[in-house]
Amino acid sequence: MSDEQFYHALKVDEDTCFGCTHCMHDCPTGAIRLRNGKATIRKDWCVDCGECMKSCPVDAIYVEQDDFIEIFSYKYRVAIVPAVFFGQFPENISEERILSVMNELGFTHVFQAEHTVDIINEVILEFQDTKPEKPLISSFCPAIVRLIQVKFPALVDHIVPVKPPIDASAAFYKYLLIEKGATAEEIGIFYVTPCAAKIAAVKSPVGDDQNYVDGVINMDFLYNKVYQVLKSQTNTSSTIKQAAFPQLTSKGLKWSLTDGEADHMKGRCLAIDEIHNVIDFLERLENEEISDVDFLELRACDQSCAGGVLLSGNRFLGVERLRNRARALENKTFQTEELESFRNFIKKNIHLESLSPRSMMKLDEDMSAALKKMQRIRHIMCFLPGIDCGACGAPNCQSLAEDIVRKEAHLSNCVFIQRMMEKTRKLSPDHAIRLIENTWGKDRLDKDCKKKGAKNEGM
Amino acid sequence: MEFKYDVEGGNFAKAGHAASAVKKVLKQLNVNPKVIKRVVVALYEGEVNVVAHAFKGRIIADIDPSRIYIKIEDQGPGIPDIDLAMQVGYSTASSKVREMGFGAGMGLPNMKKNADKLQISSNVGKGTVVELTTYFNS
Ligand SMILES: Nc1ncnc2c1ncn2[C@@H]1O[C@H](COP(=O)(O)OP(=O)(O)OP(=O)(O)O)[C@@H](O)[C@H]1O
Ligand code: SF4
Ligand SMILES: [Mg+2]
């Protein structure tokens, strides 16, 4: 297993997790195992896509965030907010009102993440002209970047070496305030994130050295805070303390939605959203079943960032609102002078260092050893029943077999093998129960009428 | 170690299934991604040829620490002139196959390019055997 540690924002709340198998079965990289009645996430296999969180019936998987109070350790408190944040609010609540509430909550500056998309677009177009290996794959969605690193190592070189808007915007705003006389220590840049992947990318950036983000705030947390204030307001007029809040262009509004990037690149561009769709497509791309595509926009969430795990409300309505707003702004350009004067600075700072593959698939570094392990896996599969029930704590029989050769599980973890062993008197019933308890927690099989769906649920 | 996959003639929806399975195995064996790519591209072309030109086939992949050997054997019309078939752009693909986006006459040349060794033998009216070998440390 790799020594490299990657920060993951997805955490399991052990008090809430009651050990069902939903997340384990839904994880697209098979990174979840059940141990002692709780879900555990394998760090080097997790790509932070958030599918586990979406599938959890009791909200036991959460996204770790920085304490909101932390913003007050800075004199200048900047929120970098993606457009989808505003897309969650009903049409009758204006951006100005939301902004004024954010000022009230303590942010001295609010800047939308997508203000730098024009520059990013320009740099990617220039890069396309250098005739790189086709297709170029966008680096926008960090869950996809990690997915490619662990599952499609041969495609790592296709990722565009240009940072996503959030990084560019954070860097820009920090330097803007410094230009205006603030010191670097006085400035706190807080990113309002729609997902776990973006946090993970901010905390342990892939192939990156400098990091301009000082903290992360979950979008659902901020949404609730803002909404609460809005609800209690009787006066709907807004008082914005911040001087100018530049308007996003139509392109900026749509950038994080599906087709947001693909619509603006050169040649044949495709946009694919939802991680299983992406995996299926990348499989085919690797086989060269698909060729002649110039640019690929790949996003882990259905409806892209409008479907991020930390968004509140319906993703389709969010998309509709942003598209409506974008339509009204079609063909309008809002050049903020400040952005223009920082153009070269931003261009210089959005180069993404080269990424390295970190395949999670290999059974062993050494090929002969890996071959032996594979032989054992195939042998073990002769005995496992192929039911893929998950009762062993692994998502399917194949995973259990692989875990066994990795020395992370035993053949007797399979409940059907246990039955066979009992039949041949190789296993006592007491021992069998202990094995079950190792996977599913102590007293798991005792009668419990308070569990979900049972007659005294919630009492 | 040996792996076997069946290929169904005419079923384009499943073409690529053996290539994907072999790819997964090679990734698990920690083979260099560039070598994997060459193997998979060649195998995919061979698999599609069975789907496009033959009735049914079987793929056997044999892996040892130094190389992968793949044998694609089919029951089908066979190839009367193998040298001709190997030429870039030569294709007898039906219009139905062309509609599926195949039939550029690039498959066999592409296999030759990507495999370290390629051997084709054919029995007209009976079938074709394509053998591919790729070394891992090339
Ligand atoms: N397994 C096979 N059985 C019968 N004929 C074959 C077989 N494989 C190839 N051929 C013949 O060889 C020709 C050239 O094959 P090749 O794979 O190079 O091109 P293609 O399959 O026609 O088109 P493409 O591979 O570019 O989609 C085919 O058109 C066909 O006539
Ligand atoms: S699509 Fe957007 S919200 Fe979803 S994981 Fe990727 S960056 Fe995050
Ligand atoms: Mg062909």
Side-chain angles (χ1 to χ4, degrees), chain A residues 48-49 54 140-144 194-198 256 299-301 304-309 311:
Chain A
D48 302 284
C49 67
K54 290 178 189 165
F140 178 91
C141 174
I144 297 300
C195 59
K198 288 276 189 196
S256 69
R299 310 275 176 83
C301 299
S304 296
C305 297
V309 272
L311 266 84

Short mmCIF file of all heavy atoms in Angstrom, two decimals, chain A residues 48-49 54 140-144 194-198 256 299-301 304-309 311, ligand 2:
data_model
loop_
_atom_site.label_atom_id
_atom_site.label_comp_id
_atom_site.label_asym_id
_atom_site.label_seq_id
_atom_site.Cartn_x
_atom_site.Cartn_y
_atom_site.Cartn_z
N ASP A 48 -13.06 10.86 -3.14
CA ASP A 48 -13.85 11.96 -2.58
C ASP A 48 -15.05 12.35 -3.44
O ASP A 48 -15.45 13.50 -3.45
CB ASP A 48 -12.98 13.20 -2.38
CG ASP A 48 -11.82 12.93 -1.47
OD1 ASP A 48 -12.03 12.85 -0.26
OD2 ASP A 48 -10.68 12.75 -1.98
N CYS A 49 -15.62 11.41 -4.15
CA CYS A 49 -16.75 11.77 -5.02
C CYS A 49 -18.03 12.02 -4.24
O CYS A 49 -18.92 12.70 -4.72
CB CYS A 49 -16.98 10.67 -6.06
SG CYS A 49 -17.56 9.12 -5.32
N LYS A 54 -24.17 10.35 -0.39
CA LYS A 54 -25.49 10.41 -1.03
C LYS A 54 -26.30 9.15 -0.70
O LYS A 54 -27.52 9.20 -0.62
CB LYS A 54 -25.34 10.55 -2.55
CG LYS A 54 -24.80 11.92 -2.97
CD LYS A 54 -24.62 12.02 -4.49
CE LYS A 54 -23.86 13.30 -4.84
NZ LYS A 54 -23.33 13.31 -6.21
N PHE A 140 -11.03 20.29 -13.93
CA PHE A 140 -12.00 21.02 -13.10
C PHE A 140 -12.47 20.24 -11.88
O PHE A 140 -12.51 20.74 -10.78
CB PHE A 140 -13.21 21.41 -13.96
CG PHE A 140 -14.27 22.13 -13.18
CD1 PHE A 140 -14.26 23.51 -13.08
CD2 PHE A 140 -15.28 21.42 -12.53
CE1 PHE A 140 -15.23 24.17 -12.35
CE2 PHE A 140 -16.25 22.08 -11.78
CZ PHE A 140 -16.22 23.46 -11.70
N CYS A 141 -12.86 19.00 -12.09
CA CYS A 141 -13.47 18.24 -10.98
C CYS A 141 -12.39 17.40 -10.30
O CYS A 141 -11.86 16.46 -10.87
CB CYS A 141 -14.59 17.36 -11.50
SG CYS A 141 -15.26 16.27 -10.23
N PRO A 142 -12.06 17.72 -9.04
CA PRO A 142 -10.97 17.01 -8.37
C PRO A 142 -11.26 15.52 -8.15
O PRO A 142 -10.33 14.73 -8.07
CB PRO A 142 -10.82 17.72 -7.03
CG PRO A 142 -11.80 18.83 -7.01
CD PRO A 142 -12.65 18.78 -8.22
N ALA A 143 -12.54 15.16 -8.05
CA ALA A 143 -12.85 13.73 -7.87
C ALA A 143 -12.45 12.97 -9.13
O ALA A 143 -11.97 11.84 -9.07
CB ALA A 143 -14.34 13.55 -7.57
N ILE A 144 -12.64 13.59 -10.27
CA ILE A 144 -12.27 12.95 -11.54
C ILE A 144 -10.75 12.87 -11.67
O ILE A 144 -10.21 11.85 -12.11
CB ILE A 144 -12.89 13.71 -12.73
CG1 ILE A 144 -14.42 13.67 -12.66
CG2 ILE A 144 -12.38 13.17 -14.06
CD1 ILE A 144 -15.03 12.29 -12.69
N PRO A 194 -18.96 23.01 -2.74
CA PRO A 194 -20.15 22.22 -3.05
C PRO A 194 -19.94 20.73 -2.80
O PRO A 194 -20.88 19.95 -2.92
CB PRO A 194 -20.35 22.47 -4.55
CG PRO A 194 -18.95 22.68 -5.08
CD PRO A 194 -18.19 23.36 -3.96
N CYS A 195 -18.72 20.32 -2.48
CA CYS A 195 -18.47 18.88 -2.41
C CYS A 195 -17.24 18.56 -1.57
O CYS A 195 -16.45 19.44 -1.25
CB CYS A 195 -18.25 18.33 -3.81
SG CYS A 195 -16.87 19.11 -4.65
N ALA A 196 -17.06 17.28 -1.29
CA ALA A 196 -15.91 16.82 -0.53
C ALA A 196 -14.64 16.88 -1.37
O ALA A 196 -13.55 17.14 -0.85
CB ALA A 196 -16.14 15.40 -0.05
N ALA A 197 -14.80 16.65 -2.66
CA ALA A 197 -13.63 16.57 -3.52
C ALA A 197 -12.85 17.89 -3.52
O ALA A 197 -11.63 17.91 -3.46
CB ALA A 197 -14.06 16.21 -4.94
N LYS A 198 -13.59 19.00 -3.58
CA LYS A 198 -12.93 20.30 -3.63
C LYS A 198 -12.17 20.56 -2.34
O LYS A 198 -11.09 21.15 -2.36
CB LYS A 198 -13.95 21.42 -3.89
CG LYS A 198 -14.49 21.43 -5.32
CD LYS A 198 -13.56 22.17 -6.27
CE LYS A 198 -14.20 22.37 -7.64
NZ LYS A 198 -13.21 22.74 -8.68
N SER A 256 -19.66 25.77 -14.18
CA SER A 256 -19.63 24.56 -13.35
C SER A 256 -20.79 23.61 -13.64
O SER A 256 -20.90 22.56 -13.04
CB SER A 256 -19.63 24.94 -11.86
OG SER A 256 -20.88 25.49 -11.52
N ARG A 299 -17.29 15.27 -15.03
CA ARG A 299 -17.68 15.71 -13.68
C ARG A 299 -18.24 14.53 -12.90
O ARG A 299 -19.00 13.73 -13.44
CB ARG A 299 -18.75 16.81 -13.78
CG ARG A 299 -18.39 17.96 -14.74
CD ARG A 299 -17.56 19.00 -14.06
NE ARG A 299 -17.11 20.08 -14.92
CZ ARG A 299 -17.83 21.16 -15.25
NH1 ARG A 299 -19.07 21.27 -14.84
NH2 ARG A 299 -17.31 22.11 -15.99
N ALA A 300 -17.90 14.47 -11.63
CA ALA A 300 -18.32 13.33 -10.81
C ALA A 300 -19.81 13.33 -10.50
O ALA A 300 -20.42 12.29 -10.30
CB ALA A 300 -17.52 13.29 -9.52
N CYS A 301 -20.41 14.51 -10.43
CA CYS A 301 -21.81 14.57 -10.00
C CYS A 301 -22.76 14.65 -11.18
O CYS A 301 -22.45 15.28 -12.20
CB CYS A 301 -22.03 15.79 -9.11
SG CYS A 301 -21.02 15.74 -7.62
N SER A 304 -23.37 17.92 -12.82
CA SER A 304 -22.14 18.60 -12.39
C SER A 304 -22.29 19.24 -11.01
O SER A 304 -22.95 18.67 -10.15
CB SER A 304 -21.68 19.59 -13.45
OG SER A 304 -21.34 18.89 -14.63
N CYS A 305 -21.72 20.42 -10.81
CA CYS A 305 -21.69 20.96 -9.45
C CYS A 305 -23.07 21.30 -8.88
O CYS A 305 -23.22 21.41 -7.67
CB CYS A 305 -20.78 22.17 -9.37
SG CYS A 305 -19.08 21.76 -9.75
N ALA A 306 -24.08 21.43 -9.75
CA ALA A 306 -25.43 21.65 -9.22
C ALA A 306 -25.89 20.41 -8.46
O ALA A 306 -26.82 20.47 -7.67
CB ALA A 306 -26.40 21.97 -10.36
N GLY A 307 -25.22 19.29 -8.70
CA GLY A 307 -25.56 18.06 -8.00
C GLY A 307 -24.56 17.70 -6.92
O GLY A 307 -24.53 16.57 -6.45
N GLY A 308 -23.73 18.66 -6.53
CA GLY A 308 -22.74 18.42 -5.47
C GLY A 308 -23.39 17.97 -4.18
O GLY A 308 -24.52 18.37 -3.88
N VAL A 309 -22.69 17.13 -3.40
CA VAL A 309 -23.31 16.58 -2.18
C VAL A 309 -23.70 17.64 -1.17
O VAL A 309 -24.53 17.39 -0.31
CB VAL A 309 -22.39 15.60 -1.38
CG1 VAL A 309 -22.53 14.21 -1.87
CG2 VAL A 309 -20.98 16.06 -1.30
N LEU A 311 -25.00 20.58 -1.76
CA LEU A 311 -26.02 21.52 -2.20
C LEU A 311 -27.36 21.17 -1.59
O LEU A 311 -27.67 19.99 -1.37
CB LEU A 311 -26.12 21.55 -3.73
CG LEU A 311 -25.23 22.67 -4.29
CD1 LEU A 311 -23.82 22.19 -4.43
CD2 LEU A 311 -25.79 23.19 -5.58
S1 SF4 C 2 -18.90 17.81 -10.17
FE1 SF4 C 2 -18.51 19.66 -9.00
S2 SF4 C 2 -19.55 19.29 -7.06
FE2 SF4 C 2 -19.32 17.28 -8.02
S3 SF4 C 2 -17.41 16.44 -7.22
FE3 SF4 C 2 -16.91 17.48 -9.14
S4 SF4 C 2 -16.32 19.57 -8.53
FE4 SF4 C 2 -17.39 18.64 -6.80
#
